[in-house]
Amino acid sequence: LNTTGAFYIDYYHGVTKKCRGKFTMNGGTLQGSWIRMMQSGSQTMYADPEFEINGGEANFTGEFMMGYQTMKMTGNTATLRVNGGRLSVGNILSVVYYSQGSTGKSNTTTDGILEINGGELFCSNVVRMCQAAANTAKLFLNGGTLTARNITTTRGKSYLTFNGGAYLPTAA
């Protein structure tokens, strides 16, 4: 699958319902510029998007933004699971990316879970856990390899759990 632009999962529905988009990759190749999981300014939307790679290779030349914008309802979680194969991110991987620009009246935000059980997650820049006080980001390194310049958090709650695997920072 080749896309020259963006790849979206649960991206602005603007409706009152529970959305649960899931992309599962078991082999093959996915090429894209960037990915955004979960964005909405909807007053009453819940979303729980998942991206799971079990095999194959997914390459994004730009950013991988999991909880991309503020949600106005609590309980939204974006999940990325790497069980096998290889995921390559050419810029920043944001477990929870918060931008108040388009949803400035929001009171709550998203949560994000990054789980690496096998395979490889390569990020040429940083893995950014969260950026706003209301965020909660969790990283579970249970197996496989995580390579990134470093892991950062600006505000909010960030939990790093290393149960196995290897973290290979490329900067101090």
Side-chain angles (χ1 to χ4, degrees):
L1 175 62
N2 253 336
T3 176
T4 57
F7 189 87
Y8 297 104
I9 302 174
D10 285 352
Y11 184 81
Y12 194 80
H13 296 275
V15 294
T16 305
K17 66 178 181 180
K18 181 84 170 173
C19 300
R20 181 141 198 177
K22 182 172 183 179
F23 177 82
T24 302
M25 184 171 178
N26 294 316
T29 303
L30 169 62
Q31 301 284 338
S33 295
W34 42 270
I35 183 169
R36 290 183 177 164
M37 295 171 59
M38 188 167 37
Q39 174 180 357
S40 176
S42 173
Q43 294 288 336
T44 54
M45 179 188 166
Y46 293 94
D48 291 309
E50 293 183 37
F51 185 103
E52 181 176 276
I53 180 168
N54 300 310
E57 187 165 349
N59 297 300
F60 293 95
T61 57
E63 292 183 306
F64 194 117
M65 300 174 192
M66 291 176 59
Y68 174 61
Q69 293 275 11
T70 298
M71 304 293 282
K72 297 191 181 213
M73 303 298 285
T74 59
N76 299 284
T77 302
T79 304
L80 168 60
R81 282 191 188 87
V82 180
N83 297 320
R86 184 175 197 267
L87 171 61
S88 176
V89 178
N91 198 351
I92 295 170
L93 187 151
S94 296
V95 178
V96 179
Y97 178 84
Y98 173 77
S99 172
Q100 202 168 357
S102 64
T103 55
K105 296 180 181 175
S106 300
N107 296 320
T108 61
T109 190
T110 63
D111 293 331
I113 298 171
L114 170 57
E115 184 178 313
I116 304 166
N117 299 308
E120 178 186 6
L121 191 152
F122 175 84
C123 180
S124 66
N125 204 332
V126 300
V127 173
R128 181 173 40 210
M129 296 297 284
C130 53
Q131 294 180 261
N135 297 140
T136 300
K138 297 176 181 178
L139 185 152
F140 297 95
L141 182 58
N142 299 321
T145 303
L146 169 61
T147 302
R149 193 174 81 197
N150 54 35
I151 299 171
T152 67
T153 189
T154 308
R155 294 181 293 273
K157 298 176 207 129
S158 295
Y159 301 93
L160 306 174
T161 305
F162 289 18
N163 290 320
Y167 169 50
L168 305 174
T170 58

